[in-house]
Amino acid sequence: MADNWIFDVLADLRRFALANDLQALAAQVQATVQVAEQELAARADGKPAPRTGQGGRAFPH
Amino acid sequence: MADNWIFDVLADLRRFALANDLQALAAQVQATVQVAEQELAARADGKPAPRTGQGGRAFPH
């Protein structure tokens, strides 16, 4: 999956925050980048990604 | 300043996270929205120093 746009968007947001002296926002965005990295990496390691568009059931019975 | 793009971008990201079962990312993005709201609101107010109580004047006379 092409998830790079997530990091592009977050990098843009962080640049904006730093350029405008929004320190708390910059830090929060940085934390968000790390969460995204971890969660996407964990998913890439196994756990198949639930796909939406076919009923969207995460737990089919 | 038109800061609405920040919230548009974060809303997009949160939608993506929820649609792809990235729960930690969705929560983190939501927290980022709140930080952005607070920090931008504080700046819009002219970044006042934290005040206690009410009245505003420390030394009325």
Side-chain angles (χ1 to χ4, degrees), chain B residues 4-35:
Chain B
N4 284 346
W5 70 271
I6 294 176
F7 299 104
D8 290 344
V9 153
L10 290 171
D12 259 2
L13 187 50
R14 184 155 180 273
R15 263 193 299 274
F16 171 84
L18 290 172
N20 287 276
D21 198 27
L22 299 165
Q23 300 295 334
L25 180 57
Q28 189 66 31
V29 170
Q30 188 57 30
T32 304
V33 169
Q34 287 164 5
V35 168

PDB file of all heavy atoms in Angstrom, chain B residues 4-35:
ATOM      1  N   ASN B   4      -7.357  26.658   8.329  1.00  0.00           N
ATOM      2  CA  ASN B   4      -8.315  25.558   8.185  1.00  0.00           C
ATOM      3  C   ASN B   4      -7.744  24.340   7.475  1.00  0.00           C
ATOM      4  O   ASN B   4      -8.192  23.225   7.709  1.00  0.00           O
ATOM      5  CB  ASN B   4      -9.559  26.035   7.437  1.00  0.00           C
ATOM      6  CG  ASN B   4     -10.439  26.879   8.341  1.00  0.00           C
ATOM      7  OD1 ASN B   4     -10.255  26.879   9.558  1.00  0.00           O
ATOM      8  ND2 ASN B   4     -11.367  27.597   7.754  1.00  0.00           N
ATOM      9  N   TRP B   5      -6.762  24.574   6.627  1.00  0.00           N
ATOM     10  CA  TRP B   5      -6.176  23.428   5.915  1.00  0.00           C
ATOM     11  C   TRP B   5      -5.612  22.404   6.895  1.00  0.00           C
ATOM     12  O   TRP B   5      -5.614  21.213   6.616  1.00  0.00           O
ATOM     13  CB  TRP B   5      -5.118  23.887   4.922  1.00  0.00           C
ATOM     14  CG  TRP B   5      -3.861  24.422   5.569  1.00  0.00           C
ATOM     15  CD1 TRP B   5      -3.627  25.706   5.943  1.00  0.00           C
ATOM     16  CD2 TRP B   5      -2.695  23.670   5.926  1.00  0.00           C
ATOM     17  NE1 TRP B   5      -2.381  25.809   6.523  1.00  0.00           N
ATOM     18  CE2 TRP B   5      -1.786  24.570   6.521  1.00  0.00           C
ATOM     19  CE3 TRP B   5      -2.329  22.327   5.811  1.00  0.00           C
ATOM     20  CZ2 TRP B   5      -0.531  24.177   6.990  1.00  0.00           C
ATOM     21  CZ3 TRP B   5      -1.082  21.936   6.281  1.00  0.00           C
ATOM     22  CH2 TRP B   5      -0.195  22.856   6.861  1.00  0.00           C
ATOM     23  N   ILE B   6      -5.143  22.877   8.027  1.00  0.00           N
ATOM     24  CA  ILE B   6      -4.609  21.954   9.039  1.00  0.00           C
ATOM     25  C   ILE B   6      -5.690  20.951   9.445  1.00  0.00           C
ATOM     26  O   ILE B   6      -5.450  19.747   9.510  1.00  0.00           O
ATOM     27  CB  ILE B   6      -4.154  22.730  10.293  1.00  0.00           C
ATOM     28  CG1 ILE B   6      -2.961  23.612   9.954  1.00  0.00           C
ATOM     29  CG2 ILE B   6      -3.848  21.797  11.439  1.00  0.00           C
ATOM     30  CD1 ILE B   6      -2.509  24.486  11.110  1.00  0.00           C
ATOM     31  N   PHE B   7      -6.875  21.470   9.696  1.00  0.00           N
ATOM     32  CA  PHE B   7      -7.953  20.593  10.161  1.00  0.00           C
ATOM     33  C   PHE B   7      -8.479  19.714   9.031  1.00  0.00           C
ATOM     34  O   PHE B   7      -8.879  18.574   9.258  1.00  0.00           O
ATOM     35  CB  PHE B   7      -9.050  21.431  10.822  1.00  0.00           C
ATOM     36  CG  PHE B   7      -8.532  22.178  12.019  1.00  0.00           C
ATOM     37  CD1 PHE B   7      -8.265  23.535  11.967  1.00  0.00           C
ATOM     38  CD2 PHE B   7      -8.245  21.501  13.197  1.00  0.00           C
ATOM     39  CE1 PHE B   7      -7.748  24.209  13.060  1.00  0.00           C
ATOM     40  CE2 PHE B   7      -7.720  22.158  14.304  1.00  0.00           C
ATOM     41  CZ  PHE B   7      -7.470  23.522  14.227  1.00  0.00           C
ATOM     42  N   ASP B   8      -8.446  20.255   7.812  1.00  0.00           N
ATOM     43  CA  ASP B   8      -8.846  19.437   6.657  1.00  0.00           C
ATOM     44  C   ASP B   8      -7.909  18.243   6.502  1.00  0.00           C
ATOM     45  O   ASP B   8      -8.340  17.112   6.293  1.00  0.00           O
ATOM     46  CB  ASP B   8      -8.810  20.271   5.371  1.00  0.00           C
ATOM     47  CG  ASP B   8      -9.922  21.303   5.339  1.00  0.00           C
ATOM     48  OD1 ASP B   8     -10.876  21.187   6.128  1.00  0.00           O
ATOM     49  OD2 ASP B   8      -9.827  22.234   4.516  1.00  0.00           O
ATOM     50  N   VAL B   9      -6.619  18.530   6.589  1.00  0.00           N
ATOM     51  CA  VAL B   9      -5.608  17.498   6.420  1.00  0.00           C
ATOM     52  C   VAL B   9      -5.726  16.445   7.530  1.00  0.00           C
ATOM     53  O   VAL B   9      -5.663  15.241   7.280  1.00  0.00           O
ATOM     54  CB  VAL B   9      -4.208  18.165   6.429  1.00  0.00           C
ATOM     55  CG1 VAL B   9      -3.134  17.220   6.916  1.00  0.00           C
ATOM     56  CG2 VAL B   9      -3.876  18.697   5.045  1.00  0.00           C
ATOM     57  N   LEU B  10      -5.925  16.914   8.749  1.00  0.00           N
ATOM     58  CA  LEU B  10      -6.031  15.976   9.868  1.00  0.00           C
ATOM     59  C   LEU B  10      -7.317  15.147   9.776  1.00  0.00           C
ATOM     60  O   LEU B  10      -7.317  13.948  10.101  1.00  0.00           O
ATOM     61  CB  LEU B  10      -5.964  16.728  11.201  1.00  0.00           C
ATOM     62  CG  LEU B  10      -4.582  17.320  11.520  1.00  0.00           C
ATOM     63  CD1 LEU B  10      -4.651  18.237  12.736  1.00  0.00           C
ATOM     64  CD2 LEU B  10      -3.549  16.213  11.763  1.00  0.00           C
ATOM     65  N   ALA B  11      -8.379  15.765   9.302  1.00  0.00           N
ATOM     66  CA  ALA B  11      -9.638  15.019   9.151  1.00  0.00           C
ATOM     67  C   ALA B  11      -9.479  13.931   8.089  1.00  0.00           C
ATOM     68  O   ALA B  11      -9.959  12.804   8.256  1.00  0.00           O
ATOM     69  CB  ALA B  11     -10.775  15.975   8.784  1.00  0.00           C
ATOM     70  N   ASP B  12      -8.807  14.260   7.007  1.00  0.00           N
ATOM     71  CA  ASP B  12      -8.519  13.275   5.952  1.00  0.00           C
ATOM     72  C   ASP B  12      -7.720  12.105   6.502  1.00  0.00           C
ATOM     73  O   ASP B  12      -8.014  10.949   6.223  1.00  0.00           O
ATOM     74  CB  ASP B  12      -7.643  13.920   4.868  1.00  0.00           C
ATOM     75  CG  ASP B  12      -8.447  14.321   3.658  1.00  0.00           C
ATOM     76  OD1 ASP B  12      -9.682  14.137   3.677  1.00  0.00           O
ATOM     77  OD2 ASP B  12      -7.841  14.827   2.705  1.00  0.00           O
ATOM     78  N   LEU B  13      -6.719  12.446   7.247  1.00  0.00           N
ATOM     79  CA  LEU B  13      -5.830  11.428   7.799  1.00  0.00           C
ATOM     80  C   LEU B  13      -6.592  10.524   8.773  1.00  0.00           C
ATOM     81  O   LEU B  13      -6.425   9.299   8.772  1.00  0.00           O
ATOM     82  CB  LEU B  13      -4.666  12.132   8.502  1.00  0.00           C
ATOM     83  CG  LEU B  13      -3.522  11.277   9.008  1.00  0.00           C
ATOM     84  CD1 LEU B  13      -3.009  10.323   7.945  1.00  0.00           C
ATOM     85  CD2 LEU B  13      -2.392  12.180   9.502  1.00  0.00           C
ATOM     86  N   ARG B  14      -7.440  11.129   9.567  1.00  0.00           N
ATOM     87  CA  ARG B  14      -8.210  10.342  10.530  1.00  0.00           C
ATOM     88  C   ARG B  14      -9.189   9.412   9.806  1.00  0.00           C
ATOM     89  O   ARG B  14      -9.349   8.248  10.180  1.00  0.00           O
ATOM     90  CB  ARG B  14      -8.958  11.270  11.489  1.00  0.00           C
ATOM     91  CG  ARG B  14      -9.702  10.513  12.565  1.00  0.00           C
ATOM     92  CD  ARG B  14      -9.925  11.340  13.808  1.00  0.00           C
ATOM     93  NE  ARG B  14     -10.648  10.551  14.794  1.00  0.00           N
ATOM     94  CZ  ARG B  14     -11.972  10.471  14.826  1.00  0.00           C
ATOM     95  NH1 ARG B  14     -12.700  11.147  13.973  1.00  0.00           N
ATOM     96  NH2 ARG B  14     -12.565   9.709  15.728  1.00  0.00           N
ATOM     97  N   ARG B  15      -9.814   9.917   8.756  1.00  0.00           N
ATOM     98  CA  ARG B  15     -10.720   9.068   7.974  1.00  0.00           C
ATOM     99  C   ARG B  15      -9.970   7.873   7.404  1.00  0.00           C
ATOM    100  O   ARG B  15     -10.455   6.747   7.437  1.00  0.00           O
ATOM    101  CB  ARG B  15     -11.331   9.868   6.816  1.00  0.00           C
ATOM    102  CG  ARG B  15     -12.707  10.414   7.101  1.00  0.00           C
ATOM    103  CD  ARG B  15     -13.390  10.908   5.818  1.00  0.00           C
ATOM    104  NE  ARG B  15     -12.641  11.979   5.174  1.00  0.00           N
ATOM    105  CZ  ARG B  15     -12.766  13.271   5.490  1.00  0.00           C
ATOM    106  NH1 ARG B  15     -13.607  13.647   6.430  1.00  0.00           N
ATOM    107  NH2 ARG B  15     -12.062  14.184   4.863  1.00  0.00           N
ATOM    108  N   PHE B  16      -8.791   8.139   6.872  1.00  0.00           N
ATOM    109  CA  PHE B  16      -7.979   7.055   6.310  1.00  0.00           C
ATOM    110  C   PHE B  16      -7.635   6.033   7.397  1.00  0.00           C
ATOM    111  O   PHE B  16      -7.739   4.825   7.185  1.00  0.00           O
ATOM    112  CB  PHE B  16      -6.695   7.628   5.707  1.00  0.00           C
ATOM    113  CG  PHE B  16      -5.715   6.559   5.309  1.00  0.00           C
ATOM    114  CD1 PHE B  16      -5.815   5.928   4.076  1.00  0.00           C
ATOM    115  CD2 PHE B  16      -4.695   6.166   6.170  1.00  0.00           C
ATOM    116  CE1 PHE B  16      -4.919   4.924   3.718  1.00  0.00           C
ATOM    117  CE2 PHE B  16      -3.800   5.172   5.817  1.00  0.00           C
ATOM    118  CZ  PHE B  16      -3.915   4.553   4.586  1.00  0.00           C
ATOM    119  N   ALA B  17      -7.224   6.525   8.546  1.00  0.00           N
ATOM    120  CA  ALA B  17      -6.827   5.626   9.634  1.00  0.00           C
ATOM    121  C   ALA B  17      -8.004   4.748  10.063  1.00  0.00           C
ATOM    122  O   ALA B  17      -7.868   3.531  10.227  1.00  0.00           O
ATOM    123  CB  ALA B  17      -6.299   6.437  10.812  1.00  0.00           C
ATOM    124  N   LEU B  18      -9.170   5.364  10.209  1.00  0.00           N
ATOM    125  CA  LEU B  18     -10.339   4.596  10.632  1.00  0.00           C
ATOM    126  C   LEU B  18     -10.752   3.585   9.563  1.00  0.00           C
ATOM    127  O   LEU B  18     -11.095   2.444   9.868  1.00  0.00           O
ATOM    128  CB  LEU B  18     -11.501   5.548  10.942  1.00  0.00           C
ATOM    129  CG  LEU B  18     -11.313   6.394  12.204  1.00  0.00           C
ATOM    130  CD1 LEU B  18     -12.421   7.433  12.316  1.00  0.00           C
ATOM    131  CD2 LEU B  18     -11.268   5.525  13.454  1.00  0.00           C
ATOM    132  N   ALA B  19     -10.682   3.983   8.315  1.00  0.00           N
ATOM    133  CA  ALA B  19     -11.087   3.087   7.221  1.00  0.00           C
ATOM    134  C   ALA B  19     -10.142   1.907   7.103  1.00  0.00           C
ATOM    135  O   ALA B  19     -10.506   0.858   6.569  1.00  0.00           O
ATOM    136  CB  ALA B  19     -11.134   3.863   5.910  1.00  0.00           C
ATOM    137  N   ASN B  20      -8.921   2.062   7.590  1.00  0.00           N
ATOM    138  CA  ASN B  20      -7.928   1.000   7.470  1.00  0.00           C
ATOM    139  C   ASN B  20      -7.587   0.351   8.806  1.00  0.00           C
ATOM    140  O   ASN B  20      -6.570  -0.321   8.928  1.00  0.00           O
ATOM    141  CB  ASN B  20      -6.661   1.552   6.807  1.00  0.00           C
ATOM    142  CG  ASN B  20      -6.881   1.805   5.333  1.00  0.00           C
ATOM    143  OD1 ASN B  20      -6.771   0.903   4.521  1.00  0.00           O
ATOM    144  ND2 ASN B  20      -7.259   3.033   4.994  1.00  0.00           N
ATOM    145  N   ASP B  21      -8.440   0.569   9.773  1.00  0.00           N
ATOM    146  CA  ASP B  21      -8.287  -0.057  11.079  1.00  0.00           C
ATOM    147  C   ASP B  21      -6.939   0.271  11.726  1.00  0.00           C
ATOM    148  O   ASP B  21      -6.312  -0.577  12.344  1.00  0.00           O
ATOM    149  CB  ASP B  21      -8.461  -1.579  10.955  1.00  0.00           C
ATOM    150  CG  ASP B  21      -8.742  -2.203  12.319  1.00  0.00           C
ATOM    151  OD1 ASP B  21      -9.293  -1.509  13.182  1.00  0.00           O
ATOM    152  OD2 ASP B  21      -8.382  -3.376  12.524  1.00  0.00           O
ATOM    153  N   LEU B  22      -6.512   1.503  11.552  1.00  0.00           N
ATOM    154  CA  LEU B  22      -5.295   1.973  12.227  1.00  0.00           C
ATOM    155  C   LEU B  22      -5.764   2.783  13.442  1.00  0.00           C
ATOM    156  O   LEU B  22      -5.816   4.013  13.424  1.00  0.00           O
ATOM    157  CB  LEU B  22      -4.459   2.830  11.270  1.00  0.00           C
ATOM    158  CG  LEU B  22      -3.971   2.090  10.018  1.00  0.00           C
ATOM    159  CD1 LEU B  22      -3.482   3.070   8.969  1.00  0.00           C
ATOM    160  CD2 LEU B  22      -2.888   1.088  10.373  1.00  0.00           C
ATOM    161  N   GLN B  23      -6.116   2.049  14.492  1.00  0.00           N
ATOM    162  CA  GLN B  23      -6.782   2.680  15.638  1.00  0.00           C
ATOM    163  C   GLN B  23      -5.866   3.630  16.398  1.00  0.00           C
ATOM    164  O   GLN B  23      -6.292   4.693  16.841  1.00  0.00           O
ATOM    165  CB  GLN B  23      -7.300   1.601  16.601  1.00  0.00           C
ATOM    166  CG  GLN B  23      -8.302   0.644  15.987  1.00  0.00           C
ATOM    167  CD  GLN B  23      -9.605   1.336  15.588  1.00  0.00           C
ATOM    168  OE1 GLN B  23      -9.963   2.358  16.162  1.00  0.00           O
ATOM    169  NE2 GLN B  23     -10.293   0.776  14.611  1.00  0.00           N
ATOM    170  N   ALA B  24      -4.618   3.219  16.573  1.00  0.00           N
ATOM    171  CA  ALA B  24      -3.693   4.076  17.325  1.00  0.00           C
ATOM    172  C   ALA B  24      -3.453   5.382  16.566  1.00  0.00           C
ATOM    173  O   ALA B  24      -3.415   6.467  17.156  1.00  0.00           O
ATOM    174  CB  ALA B  24      -2.375   3.349  17.571  1.00  0.00           C
ATOM    175  N   LEU B  25      -3.312   5.249  15.258  1.00  0.00           N
ATOM    176  CA  LEU B  25      -3.098   6.455  14.446  1.00  0.00           C
ATOM    177  C   LEU B  25      -4.323   7.365  14.500  1.00  0.00           C
ATOM    178  O   LEU B  25      -4.187   8.587  14.660  1.00  0.00           O
ATOM    179  CB  LEU B  25      -2.778   6.064  12.997  1.00  0.00           C
ATOM    180  CG  LEU B  25      -2.535   7.238  12.051  1.00  0.00           C
ATOM    181  CD1 LEU B  25      -1.403   8.137  12.527  1.00  0.00           C
ATOM    182  CD2 LEU B  25      -2.245   6.729  10.637  1.00  0.00           C
ATOM    183  N   ALA B  26      -5.499   6.775  14.405  1.00  0.00           N
ATOM    184  CA  ALA B  26      -6.723   7.581  14.454  1.00  0.00           C
ATOM    185  C   ALA B  26      -6.798   8.362  15.768  1.00  0.00           C
ATOM    186  O   ALA B  26      -7.128   9.550  15.780  1.00  0.00           O
ATOM    187  CB  ALA B  26      -7.953   6.694  14.297  1.00  0.00           C
ATOM    188  N   ALA B  27      -6.467   7.696  16.869  1.00  0.00           N
ATOM    189  CA  ALA B  27      -6.519   8.353  18.177  1.00  0.00           C
ATOM    190  C   ALA B  27      -5.472   9.458  18.267  1.00  0.00           C
ATOM    191  O   ALA B  27      -5.721  10.547  18.796  1.00  0.00           O
ATOM    192  CB  ALA B  27      -6.304   7.326  19.284  1.00  0.00           C
ATOM    193  N   GLN B  28      -4.304   9.178  17.726  1.00  0.00           N
ATOM    194  CA  GLN B  28      -3.218  10.156  17.774  1.00  0.00           C
ATOM    195  C   GLN B  28      -3.562  11.389  16.933  1.00  0.00           C
ATOM    196  O   GLN B  28      -3.278  12.519  17.328  1.00  0.00           O
ATOM    197  CB  GLN B  28      -1.940   9.487  17.247  1.00  0.00           C
ATOM    198  CG  GLN B  28      -0.697  10.304  17.426  1.00  0.00           C
ATOM    199  CD  GLN B  28      -0.322  10.501  18.885  1.00  0.00           C
ATOM    200  OE1 GLN B  28      -0.597   9.638  19.721  1.00  0.00           O
ATOM    201  NE2 GLN B  28       0.271  11.631  19.199  1.00  0.00           N
ATOM    202  N   VAL B  29      -4.185  11.146  15.806  1.00  0.00           N
ATOM    203  CA  VAL B  29      -4.580  12.274  14.942  1.00  0.00           C
ATOM    204  C   VAL B  29      -5.642  13.110  15.646  1.00  0.00           C
ATOM    205  O   VAL B  29      -5.607  14.346  15.592  1.00  0.00           O
ATOM    206  CB  VAL B  29      -5.090  11.756  13.582  1.00  0.00           C
ATOM    207  CG1 VAL B  29      -5.729  12.879  12.781  1.00  0.00           C
ATOM    208  CG2 VAL B  29      -3.931  11.141  12.797  1.00  0.00           C
ATOM    209  N   GLN B  30      -6.545  12.435  16.334  1.00  0.00           N
ATOM    210  CA  GLN B  30      -7.579  13.170  17.065  1.00  0.00           C
ATOM    211  C   GLN B  30      -6.948  14.054  18.151  1.00  0.00           C
ATOM    212  O   GLN B  30      -7.334  15.211  18.326  1.00  0.00           O
ATOM    213  CB  GLN B  30      -8.571  12.182  17.689  1.00  0.00           C
ATOM    214  CG  GLN B  30      -9.784  12.841  18.310  1.00  0.00           C
ATOM    215  CD  GLN B  30     -10.551  13.717  17.329  1.00  0.00           C
ATOM    216  OE1 GLN B  30     -10.560  13.450  16.132  1.00  0.00           O
ATOM    217  NE2 GLN B  30     -11.153  14.774  17.823  1.00  0.00           N
ATOM    218  N   ALA B  31      -5.950  13.518  18.824  1.00  0.00           N
ATOM    219  CA  ALA B  31      -5.249  14.302  19.845  1.00  0.00           C
ATOM    220  C   ALA B  31      -4.542  15.492  19.192  1.00  0.00           C
ATOM    221  O   ALA B  31      -4.483  16.589  19.767  1.00  0.00           O
ATOM    222  CB  ALA B  31      -4.242  13.417  20.576  1.00  0.00           C
ATOM    223  N   THR B  32      -4.033  15.277  18.005  1.00  0.00           N
ATOM    224  CA  THR B  32      -3.333  16.356  17.295  1.00  0.00           C
ATOM    225  C   THR B  32      -4.298  17.482  16.934  1.00  0.00           C
ATOM    226  O   THR B  32      -3.957  18.658  17.026  1.00  0.00           O
ATOM    227  CB  THR B  32      -2.655  15.799  16.030  1.00  0.00           C
ATOM    228  OG1 THR B  32      -1.797  14.727  16.417  1.00  0.00           O
ATOM    229  CG2 THR B  32      -1.844  16.869  15.320  1.00  0.00           C
ATOM    230  N   VAL B  33      -5.509  17.099  16.548  1.00  0.00           N
ATOM    231  CA  VAL B  33      -6.534  18.108  16.253  1.00  0.00           C
ATOM    232  C   VAL B  33      -6.772  18.978  17.488  1.00  0.00           C
ATOM    233  O   VAL B  33      -6.837  20.209  17.396  1.00  0.00           O
ATOM    234  CB  VAL B  33      -7.860  17.432  15.820  1.00  0.00           C
ATOM    235  CG1 VAL B  33      -9.006  18.437  15.783  1.00  0.00           C
ATOM    236  CG2 VAL B  33      -7.693  16.759  14.465  1.00  0.00           C
ATOM    237  N   GLN B  34      -6.848  18.340  18.641  1.00  0.00           N
ATOM    238  CA  GLN B  34      -7.120  19.092  19.871  1.00  0.00           C
ATOM    239  C   GLN B  34      -5.967  20.031  20.224  1.00  0.00           C
ATOM    240  O   GLN B  34      -6.183  21.173  20.636  1.00  0.00           O
ATOM    241  CB  GLN B  34      -7.425  18.120  21.015  1.00  0.00           C
ATOM    242  CG  GLN B  34      -8.803  17.494  20.825  1.00  0.00           C
ATOM    243  CD  GLN B  34      -9.023  16.255  21.671  1.00  0.00           C
ATOM    244  OE1 GLN B  34      -8.182  15.890  22.480  1.00  0.00           O
ATOM    245  NE2 GLN B  34     -10.149  15.596  21.468  1.00  0.00           N
ATOM    246  N   VAL B  35      -4.753  19.545  20.046  1.00  0.00           N
ATOM    247  CA  VAL B  35      -3.588  20.397  20.318  1.00  0.00           C
ATOM    248  C   VAL B  35      -3.580  21.589  19.362  1.00  0.00           C
ATOM    249  O   VAL B  35      -3.324  22.728  19.767  1.00  0.00           O
ATOM    250  CB  VAL B  35      -2.284  19.589  20.199  1.00  0.00           C
ATOM    251  CG1 VAL B  35      -1.070  20.510  20.198  1.00  0.00           C
ATOM    252  CG2 VAL B  35      -2.181  18.591  21.339  1.00  0.00           C
TER     253      VAL B  35
END
